[in-house]
Amino acid sequence: MDLFNSRILLPTSEIPKEWINILPDLPTPMTPLVNPADGKPAPPELAMRIFAKECVLQEVSQENSIPIPNDLRAMYASIGRPTPLHRAYRLEKELGIEGDNIKIFYKNESVSPTGSHKLNTALAQAYFCKKQGINEMVTETGAGQWGSALALACNLSGIKCTVYMVRISFLQKPGRKILMKIFNAKVHASPSEFTESGRRYWEKDNNHNGSLGLAISEAIEHCLRDESIRYSLGSVVNHVLLHQTVIGQEAKSQLSKIGEYPDIVIGCAGGGSNFAGTAIPFIREKIRGVYPETEMIAVEPRACPSMCKGKYMWDYGDTAKMAPIVKMYTLGHNFIPSPIHAGGLRYHGMAPILSILLKNKVIKTVMHHQTDVIQAGLLFAKTEYILPAPETCHAIKEAIDQALKAKENKEKKTILFNFSGHGFFDLLAYKEYMDGALKDYEMPTEEIEKALSAEDMPKINEAFF
Amino acid sequence: MDLFNSRILLPTSEIPKEWINILPDLPTPMTPLVNPADGKPAPPELAMRIFAKECVLQEVSQENSIPIPNDLRAMYASIGRPTPLHRAYRLEKELGIEGDNIKIFYKNESVSPTGSHKLNTALAQAYFCKKQGINEMVTETGAGQWGSALALACNLSGIKCTVYMVRISFLQKPGRKILMKIFNAKVHASPSEFTESGRRYWEKDNNHNGSLGLAISEAIEHCLRDESIRYSLGSVVNHVLLHQTVIGQEAKSQLSKIGEYPDIVIGCAGGGSNFAGTAIPFIREKIRGVYPETEMIAVEPRACPSMCKGKYMWDYGDTAKMAPIVKMYTLGHNFIPSPIHAGGLRYHGMAPILSILLKNKVIKTVMHHQTDVIQAGLLFAKTEYILPAPETCHAIKEAIDQALKAKENKEKKTILFNFSGHGFFDLLAYKEYMDGALKDYEMPTEEIEKALSAEDMPKINEAFF
């Protein structure tokens, strides 16, 4: 147990110079974003009215890599990139796997000023908006992790930021809201009185709890109001996954400095950007036959198992049916996941890129119960001392399971997972666990079937494309 | 503005190999810890019944340096030492001091798993207790910053930890309490039913708010109950300041790597360990005439200005008069500071080492109002992106003031301050500031005079020593 060398650091000169674009390597072609208004592929003009122009170009690029502007790399440097890679020596010891047959590494994205990987794409999107002369960005947020990342990014790039925050979180989780305001963002409880979509609910009930779907509708409506505003997403779409590939690239080069390559790459998956950002550099080498045996495992909550129990089909990106329609593993846009603590994993669908990779068996997926993942997170905190967010606990649980399986089978395995964020704003989840009050949720298969055969699922004729 | 080089990192091999002991260099001799029971210097046996033996030896050592055991250095490595040193380029720019005449550097202790410098001594004290065969440590905590550091350290060293937490904080600030439990500590709201000192209040009122003084009494009583228990302090005493010198030593070597030496060293001061830990390596060189011009500035809240407005005299370390009597700058042990957000600076006295240095004009001291420091902290967060704890905001405010003064006077200055902790658990202070609801507090001089001439101030005859 060489604790002096448990952290592998890189100099800022080794911040990746490009993002890895997996689109050209996908085993089947990328599916388009479809306009919910007419069921046809969204023309670039439409997408560019919503997203930064550069991001739309990245969304459909067939280049193998896309250069990261040097000014943006400097921003990455100033928020703590390259982030450390850790060998989890003490966790290994606790699991009884001392020695070098089984090694657990984790990439530590929690060191960012907002506490998670979300800044990697927030900074990029704000940078491209700024370059294009956009002076305001708008987004929605649930618990506020994504909202605070975008708030910081906009503040850094000197543009306005407006966040529609689901009212129940706005009231129950004031911490993230304060953080967004510190970074100069305007935060509205959603439904609000500021948009037509919001007013419809707000006027009937000023204290309406809101939902993520509704907040998306408000943000998009807000964006469409003025030519100089753009909307921003924190996961799911291709360009967000692209920006997150800095995680996996750094991890790959940190591992290579100590002569390692992972046998298993693990990340939790809500919309998919954290898992994809970690795994894509390894996925490309797997597809290209460089390291064909590497296992890629996306971990979902049993309460919201889009890949594990959903179906691969066309669906709306949001409950309100205003966001583009995409082909993806989905539980149906009407699905309202149970209130698990891992708010970042409560999304009904999955990134189209990951959906294609799963359909083609390039990646695997597993699901775990909330109590099991928080238990794993506690064990991690007690041994590695960094308190994980409930989302991150999903990856930890699977890493522990894989290590124990390898131990039982007497296999040699190098395991890499992404420590996507810290849990300083999620202490209640741990309290409930320690008090024996944490509940598990599982969606019955027949309810999922029902949701997926709902009347209002979009009917897309692929022959049109 | 070279953002790629704004963080200066050191490899773990450069974790200091020794702590710097300032005692032999003090301009006037160190004053002893006095036994509150008889007013005479506490014999080592008595001190050793309370503190770890090794810590008592360090408390009075006249060696210039004390080796840090290699196992402890490995623990330092595994909690993120050496911590980064940052050049505050964006803050400088915001202050209009671009260029290289005025440079602001900060040592970032917030990267530790409990979010502050407190672990530097907690790990050391737990390590020495473990080595001595002690199987339980006990302490008191207010808001919980110190308690969570000791909880983690005990968990790491495999010994039990009991924390008496002031009940009002126990109820109002559940986050830190949960964190302590995650690290396996037993946390009791104080006053509790578990000690005689506690029961006296608890039996009359199960919901008594408690006070730090009372929590100290409970912790010491708990410690004296069993030979295998030791008590632990998070600041004030010599050995705690000694352990914190890893901060200043690392900063000194990080600055020297880029050819810098500070003109001004700044830290906030509650009990004094954070400021002392940062400044002592530079103080020694000032005293020895190597860099005689370096200014050392300890920053206090106007609501609790032990050095700025207190007197240098003998006083009890705690309200309950159970802790040792020390000679220090004090506002009187009966002084109950106003409820400012910087809970870590609400201590009536000041470390004896710093008191001697101030009396001999080696260090300076200033005080600031709560609103001014939070405003400075906000500016820091908006430019450097790391949210400071309210305590840390005091150092930031003074660093900004010094930079602006140098700008006005067209002087060249290199300023170093310690970023002692993050503010993720202190968002309310920022909210109150942004809402215009933050209040300032100032203790009238006549009230301090009155407190210091109170009947129950200890009468110590120095001729006895």
Side-chain angles (χ1 to χ4, degrees):
Chain A
M1 181 146 76
D2 179 8
L3 291 177
F4 286 106
N5 293 303
S6 66
R7 263 184 309 158
I8 297 123
L9 302 175
L10 293 178
T12 52
S13 57
E14 293 189 39
I15 290 172
K17 297 197 169 60
E18 51 188 40
W19 291 300
I20 291 185
N21 184 18
I22 195 71
L23 293 193
D25 285 277
L26 288 179
T28 57
M30 186 61 206
T31 50
L33 296 177
V34 166
N35 186 347
D38 62 8
K40 290 182 188 157
E45 317 77 88
L46 182 64
M48 285 178 191
R49 179 58 196 83
I50 297 183
F51 298 113
K53 183 181 164 197
E54 202 69 43
C55 293
V56 175
L57 298 176
Q58 291 167 358
E59 187 72 16
V60 296
S61 167
Q62 285 295 320
E63 299 295 326
N64 283 307
S65 64
I66 290 167
I68 306 177
N70 212 44
D71 288 351
L72 181 53
R73 291 180 66 237
M75 291 179 186
Y76 280 157
S78 69
I79 55 121
R81 301 219 73 83
T83 59
L85 180 82
H86 301 244
R87 168 96 180 255
Y89 278 116
R90 290 177 194 272
L91 175 63
E92 291 174 14
K93 190 180 167 191
E94 182 69 24
L95 299 176
I97 51 169
E98 265 180 290
D100 269 339
N101 276 335
I102 300 163
K103 298 169 195 160
I104 304 176
F105 293 93
Y106 58 98
K107 180 72 169 159
N108 186 359
E109 291 292 303
S110 77
V111 300
S112 113
T114 54
S116 84
H117 66 293
K118 290 286 184 195
L119 267 176
N120 299 329
T121 185
L123 286 175
Q125 293 188 48
Y127 173 85
F128 291 123
C129 277
K130 177 73 178 178
K131 215 179 124 193
Q132 191 185 335
I134 297 301
N135 54 35
E136 181 180 345
M137 292 180 79
V138 57
T139 197
E140 71 287 333
T141 199
Q145 179 62 265
W146 166 242
S148 51
L150 192 68
L152 188 156
C154 285
N155 184 62
L156 196 160
S157 281
I159 53 188
K160 269 179 68 179
C161 181
T162 306
V163 181
Y164 288 87
M165 184 173 189
V166 177
R167 177 170 280 111
I168 180 131
S169 299
F170 185 90
L171 298 174
Q172 286 179 351
K173 303 191 173 180
R176 287 270 173 203
K177 176 180 65 189
I178 299 168
L179 197 57
M180 289 185 262
K181 287 188 176 174
I182 286 172
F183 294 128
N184 291 331
K186 254 215 168 101
V187 187
H188 301 310
S190 166
S192 77
E193 57 188 309
F194 307 110
T195 68
E196 213 173 293
S197 342
R199 272 193 300 274
R200 222 174 293 154
Y201 296 83
W202 183 83
E203 278 170 359
K204 272 184 240 151
D205 176 6
N206 287 6
N207 294 311
H208 191 289
N209 276 344
S211 73
L212 210 48
L214 195 46
I216 294 178
S217 310
E218 290 207 87
I220 295 183
E221 184 185 327
H222 182 115
C223 164
L224 293 174
R225 198 181 288 158
D226 188 304
E227 266 297 335
S228 71
I229 307 178
R230 286 297 175 277
Y231 170 69
S232 170
L233 272 176
S235 191
V236 182
V237 289
N238 304 347
H239 66 270
V240 174
L241 274 60
L242 176 85
H243 299 153
Q244 293 294 356
T245 60
V246 292
I247 304 171
Q249 288 184 78
E250 286 177 10
K252 191 159 162 280
S253 106
Q254 284 161 316
L255 285 171
S256 99
K257 280 192 196 296
I258 50 167
E260 297 284 351
Y261 194 93
D263 299 300
I264 306 175
V265 180
I266 298 168
C268 61
S273 73
N274 144 51
F275 169 70
T278 312
I280 279 176
F282 305 100
I283 288 174
R284 184 159 79 176
E285 297 199 323
K286 181 184 169 83
I287 293 176
R288 291 184 178 179
V290 187
Y291 285 95
E293 303 300 325
T294 319
E295 278 185 273
M296 315 289 171
I297 308 175
V299 193
E300 298 188 312
R302 288 193 91 95
C304 190
S306 327
M307 289 190 284
C308 290
K309 296 180 86 171
K311 278 199 185 139
Y312 186 54
M313 58 194 295
W314 292 95
D315 197 5
Y316 296 99
D318 64 325
T319 326
K321 298 185 266 187
M322 288 190 71
I325 296 166
V326 293
K327 195 166 185 182
M328 61 181 175
Y329 279 89
T330 178
L331 298 163
H333 59 274
N334 293 311
F335 178 74
I336 306 284
S338 308
I340 53 169
H341 286 279
L345 306 185
R346 292 175 69 237
Y347 182 65
H348 67 277
M350 187 51 62
I353 286 177
L354 292 182
S355 297
I356 289 174
L357 290 167
L358 179 67
K359 189 72 188 165
N360 286 278
K361 301 195 168 60
V362 178
I363 65 170
K364 292 179 188 175
T365 178
V366 296
M367 55 184 174
H368 292 297
H369 264 312
Q370 165 156 278
T371 48
D372 294 335
V373 306
I374 296 293
Q375 185 184 34
L378 256 181
L379 183 71
F380 187 89
K382 285 181 206 291
T383 51
E384 295 290 315
Y385 315 125
I386 316 177
L387 189 73
E391 292 83 355
T392 308
C393 292
H394 287 74
I396 294 171
K397 165 67 179 156
E398 184 59 21
I400 290 174
D401 282 3
Q402 290 292 335
L404 292 176
K405 195 177 96 183
K407 180 186 167 196
E408 204 181 301
N409 297 342
K410 299 199 166 45
E411 292 173 304
K412 279 181 88 124
K413 289 282 180 201
T414 296
I415 299 165
L416 167 69
F417 74 88
N418 190 27
F419 189 94
S420 48
H422 66 60
F424 284 157
F425 292 97
D426 307 283
L427 288 162
L428 198 59
Y430 290 95
K431 182 181 183 322
E432 283 185 6
Y433 177 86
M434 293 188 293
D435 292 350
L438 194 64
K439 278 201 291 184
D440 280 329
Y441 299 94
E442 181 140 25
M443 179 86 175
T445 310
E446 54 276 23
E447 278 188 44
I448 298 174
E449 300 274 339
K450 212 173 118 194
L452 289 176
S453 53
E455 272 293 305
D456 71 341
M457 287 298 282
K459 274 106 199 142
I460 303 298
N461 189 341
E462 291 186 27
F464 280 159
F465 306 171
Chain B
M1 181 147 75
D2 179 7
L3 291 176
F4 286 107
N5 292 305
S6 65
R7 263 184 308 158
I8 298 125
L9 301 175
L10 294 178
T12 51
S13 57
E14 294 188 38
I15 291 172
K17 296 197 170 58
E18 50 188 40
W19 290 300
I20 292 186
N21 184 19
I22 196 69
L23 294 194
D25 285 277
L26 288 179
T28 56
M30 185 61 208
T31 51
L33 296 176
V34 166
N35 186 347
D38 61 9
K40 292 185 185 153
E45 316 79 87
L46 181 65
M48 285 178 192
R49 181 58 196 84
I50 296 182
F51 298 113
K53 183 181 165 199
E54 202 69 42
C55 294
V56 175
L57 298 176
Q58 291 166 0
E59 187 72 16
V60 295
S61 167
Q62 286 294 322
E63 299 296 325
N64 282 306
S65 64
I66 290 166
I68 306 177
N70 211 44
D71 287 351
L72 180 53
R73 291 179 67 237
M75 290 179 186
Y76 280 159
S78 68
I79 55 121
R81 299 218 77 84
T83 60
L85 181 82
H86 300 246
R87 168 96 181 254
Y89 278 117
R90 291 176 192 273
L91 175 63
E92 291 174 15
K93 190 179 168 191
E94 182 69 25
L95 299 176
I97 51 169
E98 265 181 291
D100 269 339
N101 277 336
I102 300 162
K103 298 170 195 158
I104 304 176
F105 292 93
Y106 58 98
K107 181 70 171 161
N108 186 359
E109 291 293 302
S110 78
V111 300
S112 112
T114 55
S116 84
H117 66 293
K118 290 285 184 194
L119 266 176
N120 299 329
T121 185
L123 286 175
Q125 293 187 47
Y127 173 84
F128 291 123
C129 275
K130 177 72 178 178
K131 215 179 124 194
Q132 190 185 336
I134 296 303
N135 55 35
E136 180 180 345
M137 292 181 79
V138 59
T139 197
E140 72 287 332
T141 199
Q145 179 62 265
W146 166 242
S148 52
L150 192 68
L152 188 154
C154 284
N155 184 61
L156 198 160
S157 282
I159 54 189
K160 268 180 70 180
C161 181
T162 305
V163 181
Y164 288 87
M165 184 175 190
V166 178
R167 179 172 279 110
I168 181 131
S169 300
F170 185 91
L171 297 173
Q172 285 179 351
K173 303 191 175 183
R176 288 271 173 200
K177 175 179 65 186
I178 299 169
L179 197 56
M180 289 185 263
K181 286 188 177 175
I182 287 172
F183 295 127
N184 291 332
K186 254 216 170 102
V187 187
H188 301 309
S190 166
S192 77
E193 58 187 307
F194 306 110
T195 68
E196 214 174 293
S197 342
R199 270 193 302 273
R200 225 173 291 153
Y201 296 84
W202 183 84
E203 277 171 358
K204 273 184 238 149
D205 175 7
N206 288 4
N207 293 313
H208 191 290
N209 276 344
S211 73
L212 210 49
L214 194 45
I216 293 178
S217 310
E218 289 206 88
I220 296 183
E221 184 184 329
H222 183 115
C223 164
L224 294 174
R225 196 180 290 157
D226 189 306
E227 266 297 335
S228 71
I229 307 178
R230 288 296 176 275
Y231 171 69
S232 170
L233 271 176
S235 191
V236 182
V237 289
N238 304 348
H239 66 271
V240 174
L241 275 58
L242 176 84
H243 299 154
Q244 294 293 356
T245 60
V246 291
I247 304 171
Q249 289 184 77
E250 286 178 10
K252 190 158 166 278
S253 106
Q254 283 161 318
L255 285 171
S256 98
K257 277 189 197 300
I258 50 169
E260 298 284 351
Y261 195 93
D263 300 300
I264 306 175
V265 180
I266 298 168
C268 61
S273 72
N274 144 51
F275 169 72
T278 311
I280 279 175
F282 304 101
I283 288 173
R284 184 161 79 176
E285 296 197 325
K286 180 184 169 84
I287 294 176
R288 291 184 178 178
V290 188
Y291 286 95
E293 303 300 326
T294 318
E295 278 184 274
M296 316 288 172
I297 308 176
V299 193
E300 297 189 313
R302 287 192 91 95
C304 190
S306 326
M307 288 190 284
C308 291
K309 297 180 85 171
K311 280 202 182 134
Y312 186 54
M313 58 196 294
W314 291 96
D315 196 7
Y316 296 100
D318 65 325
T319 326
K321 299 186 267 186
M322 287 191 73
I325 296 167
V326 293
K327 194 165 185 182
M328 61 179 176
Y329 278 89
T330 179
L331 297 164
H333 60 274
N334 292 313
F335 177 75
I336 306 284
S338 306
I340 53 168
H341 285 280
L345 307 184
R346 293 174 71 236
Y347 182 63
H348 68 276
M350 187 51 62
I353 286 178
L354 292 181
S355 297
I356 289 175
L357 290 166
L358 179 67
K359 190 73 189 163
N360 288 278
K361 301 193 166 61
V362 178
I363 66 170
K364 292 178 187 176
T365 178
V366 296
M367 55 184 175
H368 292 297
H369 264 314
Q370 168 157 275
T371 50
D372 294 335
V373 306
I374 296 293
Q375 186 184 34
L378 255 183
L379 183 71
F380 187 89
K382 283 182 207 293
T383 51
E384 295 290 314
Y385 315 126
I386 316 176
L387 189 73
E391 291 82 355
T392 308
C393 292
H394 287 74
I396 294 171
K397 164 68 179 156
E398 184 60 21
I400 291 175
D401 282 3
Q402 289 293 335
L404 292 175
K405 196 177 96 183
K407 181 187 166 194
E408 204 183 301
N409 298 342
K410 298 196 167 46
E411 291 172 304
K412 280 181 86 124
K413 289 283 181 203
T414 296
I415 299 165
L416 166 69
F417 73 88
N418 189 27
F419 190 93
S420 48
H422 66 62
F424 285 157
F425 292 98
D426 306 285
L427 288 162
L428 198 58
Y430 290 96
K431 182 183 185 318
E432 284 185 6
Y433 177 86
M434 293 188 293
D435 292 348
L438 194 64
K439 279 202 289 186
D440 279 330
Y441 299 94
E442 182 140 25
M443 179 86 176
T445 310
E446 54 275 27
E447 276 188 45
I448 297 174
E449 300 276 340
K450 213 173 116 194
L452 290 175
S453 53
E455 273 293 304
D456 70 341
M457 288 297 283
K459 275 104 199 144
I460 303 299
N461 189 341
E462 293 188 25
F464 281 159
F465 306 171

